Amino acid sequence: MSQEIFERIKHRLEKLYPLESAKDAYQELHRLIQICGVESELDSERWNQEDVVLISYADSLIDTEQPHPPLQVLRDFLQDYVKDAVNTVHLLPFFPFSSDDGFSVIDYVKVEPDFGDWPDIQAISSDYKLMVDLVINHISRESLWFTDYKADVAPFNQFFIEVDGREDVSMVVRPRNSPLLVPAYTHRGRKMVWATFSADQIDLNFENPAVLVKMIEVLLFYVKQKTHILRLDAIAFLWKKLGTNCIHLPETHEVVKLIRDVFELVNPNGMLLTETNVPHNENLSYFGQQDEAHLVYQFSLAPLVLHALYRGDGYYLTQWAQQLKPPVDGCNFLNFTASHDGIGLRPVEGILPQREIEDLITGMHRQGGYISMRTRPDGSESPYEINIALFSAFRETCNSQGPDQWQVDRFICSQLIMLSLQGIPAVYIHSLLATENDQIGVERTGRTRSINRKKWEKHYLKALLDGQNTSNLQVLNRLIHVLKRRKKHKAFHPDTSQKVLDFGSSFFAIWRGVNELDFPLLAIFNLTSEVKELDIQHETGLDSASGWVDILDHQHYQPTSQPLILQPYQVLWLMPDNVDSVSPLWAMSTS
């Protein structure tokens, strides 16, 4: 099998580069892979219902009273509060960096000394699977690579993209409104270099096979550090070709396939995740023919859930979810409602009408949020993402006259929608902690994304979590409870099918495993601040002779012609309550 994969790698290199260059690159990759070690064993199951990712910066939690590195503080938090409620930790870039909270990497193989060191990361990976970013599109202006480029030192003098500045780059798709071409003062004079994201993040030149080989070497180093999920940051913009939009180019997809091949050789049980914050169908293209990403983000989910609960109307969420095709075999979605970035608006293009997007933007402004813009090819600007802490985003609705008493329940409802859908869920640490908008962080950094990147001081956070009834404690306890219940049920296996039901705009509802499990799960969400009735037997056409049980609280609902009563933002996870013929799965699940 390994020889077959090596042949694929060779073929892909020949598609990307001239024959002689491809041959040299292949020989070097072959050498590096052999040094890393080729693994051949593949587990029978790549993922299951126990897979839940916690997303965190290395320094999301800090200790100002004791000289403990933030990575150690994070591990203490995981051991004290999270335990086995999640099984994977996504450590956002923890390398030395110059900007963008880690995504402008100075050195790919070192840990930022202020965060800790590799043994601290290994301590976390001894308890949890590890997810790491390969920041593949660009590197910091302050890196040694770029320093050597400016000094005209080989091979790095060919690692970046020089453009004389007179070419027409108006077709290039931009995720930012900063200049695409920025000056670099080198030993060869002033040069203009490509910088998709900022003047401090200089794009790498993947037309040079030496760049690809170097990044594969970084990848192999991460594998040696027990990386289980490799996240390809900003991968859509990887390959540049003047006269095109420079996004999703065929060469980019070929590089992703090659990385998949390498990853399968050295870590066959690992997973490749592509980060492409673009409209849904473009995002799905990174599954390829089951030969690219194992996982893609479900980017449309976050803005649609926010919209549904802000409006108290699930029409567009239901319409989208009903049309959502299941992932192809061997691939899956990573579902999330919050991350270190904002809530993307491009993924709802063509799903939400423009008036609904504008209304949502207005509502998030009212709740303290910001809007990041991007530059269109015609030079105009359009909203790219909403910057807001998700817990703050649920402070009120479009119909309320200000904050109401339902913020915690509304927020929990949003998280349970995400946790109910087919795929693997990812929970941001600031969602787990009910973190509010960090306006001080925005003022300190001058960046609107800082609103959702608070650094919690350990002792202050502990006081909140040890308090009597803080929103932080409520949310943490409720989510940990749900996560522990969820992991016991086969209905939440990432491959278990889902069927979205239409119970009217006040509800969102899905079946998981209705055609394949003895005990499928029916998830029902009241999206409003009102008490709602629902005739479940009439709406589903199904009758459980023994009634139903809500596995969230073990509440039993007897067979009856009376409708269910759902409190504001209540969530039901219902399974048939067939206590006289309990299957082994059901017995295990409710223990």
Side-chain angles (χ1 to χ4, degrees):
M1 181 63 180
S2 61
Q3 188 55 43
E4 178 184 331
I5 298 177
F6 272 119
E7 286 298 320
R8 288 208 301 265
I9 292 172
K10 182 179 180 181
H11 175 67
R12 299 197 196 289
L13 289 168
E14 290 172 352
K15 290 181 70 174
L16 290 167
Y17 305 112
L19 192 58
E20 199 60 34
S21 298
K23 180 180 177 182
D24 292 342
Y26 174 75
Q27 289 176 345
E28 182 61 12
L29 284 182
H30 192 282
R31 184 185 72 83
L32 292 170
I33 292 168
Q34 294 291 357
I35 292 172
C36 182
V38 175
E39 300 287 341
S40 58
E41 293 186 7
L42 176 64
D43 290 345
S44 59
E45 194 173 47
R46 189 178 295 279
W47 42 56
N48 60 39
Q49 65 271 19
E50 295 189 12
D51 288 315
V52 178
V53 179
L54 178 69
I55 307 167
S56 178
Y57 279 105
D59 63 339
S60 290
L61 307 177
I62 58 175
D63 188 348
T64 58
E65 296 186 6
Q66 300 290 335
H68 293 151
L71 283 165
Q72 292 181 17
V73 179
L74 176 61
R75 190 190 184 205
D76 289 345
F77 170 77
L78 293 170
Q79 291 180 326
D80 293 343
Y81 294 98
V82 179
K83 298 182 173 65
D84 63 349
V86 307
N87 71 346
T88 304
V89 174
H90 175 196
L91 280 179
L92 292 159
F94 46 80
F95 320 105
F97 67 98
S98 54
S99 65
D100 199 16
D101 290 327
F103 284 91
S104 186
V105 178
I106 292 175
D107 191 322
Y108 287 111
V109 297
K110 291 183 179 178
V111 176
E112 167 57 45
D114 289 344
F115 299 162
D117 209 338
W118 280 111
D120 298 312
I121 292 174
Q122 289 158 3
I124 292 174
S125 67
S126 68
D127 297 325
Y128 301 92
K129 297 176 183 178
L130 185 63
M131 178 169 157
V132 171
D133 288 85
L134 183 63
V135 186
I136 191 169
N137 180 73
H138 48 262
I139 194 169
S140 169
R141 179 181 282 270
E142 297 181 17
S143 66
L144 286 178
W145 292 12
F146 196 66
T147 299
D148 283 349
Y149 158 76
K150 293 187 293 182
D152 201 24
V153 175
F156 300 100
N157 53 357
Q158 302 296 320
F159 265 41
F160 301 92
I161 304 167
E162 292 182 359
V163 183
D164 68 16
R166 292 173 294 182
E167 293 90 348
D168 182 8
V169 294
S170 61
M171 291 180 62
V172 177
V173 171
R174 301 298 314 290
R176 300 285 186 275
N177 56 5
S178 57
L180 176 65
L181 306 177
V182 299
Y185 298 92
T186 79
H187 286 194
R188 296 174 291 113
R190 182 179 183 271
K191 303 294 181 181
M192 299 298 290
V193 293
W194 202 288
T196 299
F197 289 88
S198 78
D200 186 51
Q201 296 164 294
I202 313 301
D203 287 36
L204 292 160
N205 178 19
F206 280 87
E207 284 194 55
N208 177 0
V211 173
L212 178 59
V213 170
K214 195 68 175 175
M215 293 308 296
I216 296 294
E217 187 176 7
V218 173
L219 179 160
L220 295 175
F221 176 80
Y222 295 163
V223 170
K224 283 291 189 182
Q225 310 309 313
K226 298 185 178 179
T227 294
H228 181 70
I229 302 178
L230 187 73
R231 178 183 184 269
L232 299 182
D233 176 64
I235 188 67
F237 303 96
L238 187 78
W239 203 278
K240 283 76 175 178
K241 187 181 294 183
L242 288 171
T244 74
N245 61 9
C246 297
I247 187 171
H248 314 314
L249 295 186
E251 293 87 349
T252 293
H253 284 282
E254 202 64 40
V255 170
V256 175
K257 293 174 185 177
L258 188 148
I259 292 173
R260 162 80 173 255
D261 291 336
V262 172
F263 206 52
E264 285 192 352
L265 273 173
V266 297
N267 188 14
N269 294 302
M271 290 181 273
L272 200 65
L273 168 67
T274 48
E275 187 262 332
T276 51
N277 194 352
V278 293
H280 184 67
N281 287 333
E282 297 176 36
N283 188 33
L284 293 182
S285 71
Y286 286 85
F287 284 144
Q289 300 299 316
Q290 299 163 278
D291 57 358
E292 294 188 39
H294 299 96
L295 300 170
V296 301
Y297 283 99
Q298 191 79 277
F299 277 110
S300 301
L301 180 63
L304 285 170
V305 169
L306 178 61
H307 174 269
L309 287 163
Y310 174 69
R311 298 285 293 178
D313 185 337
Y315 172 80
Y316 294 105
L317 175 63
T318 296
Q319 289 290 307
W320 166 78
Q322 285 185 325
Q323 297 170 21
L324 188 64
K325 295 180 180 178
V328 295
D329 289 345
C331 300
N332 232 306
F333 298 118
L334 190 75
N335 295 320
F336 74 109
T337 52
S339 73
H340 61 291
D341 287 338
I343 299 169
L345 295 174
R346 287 209 68 203
V348 288
E349 291 176 5
I351 300 174
L352 284 180
Q354 188 59 35
R355 68 180 184 279
E356 295 287 342
I357 295 175
E358 292 170 359
D359 179 68
L360 185 62
I361 289 172
T362 300
M364 294 306 105
H365 269 309
R366 194 168 67 240
Q367 295 177 77
Y370 301 92
I371 305 299
S372 293
M373 309 296 287
R374 71 181 182 96
T375 301
R376 293 175 176 270
D378 63 4
S380 63
E381 292 189 344
S382 63
Y384 178 72
E385 66 179 17
I386 299 170
N387 299 123
I388 194 168
L390 191 65
F391 187 66
S392 293
F394 290 109
R395 189 179 297 152
E396 59 185 74
T397 69
C398 67
N399 297 316
S400 59
Q401 301 301 311
D404 58 28
Q405 72 269 39
W406 302 114
Q407 183 179 13
V408 169
D409 293 314
R410 193 155 47 232
F411 179 75
I412 293 295
C413 182
S414 77
Q415 298 309 285
L416 266 69
I417 291 173
M418 180 265 291
L419 291 168
S420 302
L421 290 168
Q422 183 176 13
I424 296 174
V427 181
Y428 191 30
I429 193 169
H430 290 305
S431 294
L432 204 61
L433 296 173
T435 305
E436 296 273 12
N437 289 336
D438 185 10
Q439 297 290 359
I440 294 175
V442 174
E443 294 171 8
R444 184 181 67 251
T445 66
R447 298 190 305 271
T448 57
R449 279 184 168 179
S450 297
I451 198 171
N452 194 31
R453 299 176 178 180
K454 181 181 177 67
K455 301 183 193 307
W456 276 106
E457 207 289 322
K458 173 184 175 179
H459 299 282
Y460 180 58
L461 177 63
K462 188 175 187 302
L464 291 173
L465 297 181
D466 291 345
Q468 292 297 311
N469 198 32
T470 64
S471 57
N472 313 87
L473 178 63
Q474 290 181 57
V475 168
L476 177 64
N477 284 345
R478 289 176 67 176
L479 287 180
I480 293 296
H481 168 79
V482 168
L483 290 170
K484 288 183 175 181
R485 289 289 175 101
R486 182 188 183 278
K487 66 188 287 188
K488 298 179 179 180
H489 294 274
K490 190 74 171 178
F492 295 114
H493 191 290
D495 291 335
T496 298
S497 67
Q498 72 181 24
K499 181 180 180 181
V500 179
L501 307 175
D502 188 352
F503 290 170
S505 64
S506 295
F507 300 98
F508 181 66
I510 55 174
W511 273 113
R512 293 297 307 274
V514 65
N515 296 317
E516 64 213 65
L517 299 179
D518 290 336
F519 288 89
L521 180 136
L522 176 60
I524 305 173
F525 307 84
N526 180 359
L527 303 174
T528 76
S529 59
E530 301 173 356
V531 176
K532 293 290 182 179
E533 294 185 353
L534 183 64
D535 186 341
I536 184 174
Q537 182 175 335
H538 176 265
E539 293 289 350
T540 63
L542 296 174
D543 179 21
S544 176
S546 301
W548 303 83
V549 61
D550 180 3
I551 65 172
L552 290 171
D553 60 9
H554 282 178
Q555 176 72 37
H556 292 264
Y557 295 89
Q558 298 302 319
T560 175
S561 59
Q562 298 299 313
L564 293 176
I565 307 297
L566 278 81
Q567 299 302 311
Y569 305 107
Q570 184 176 358
V571 179
L572 299 176
W573 277 355
L574 300 176
M575 281 187 169
D577 189 12
N578 192 352
V579 295
D580 295 326
S581 58
V582 178
S583 72
L585 168 66
W586 182 237
M588 183 259 323
S589 298
T590 57
S591 61

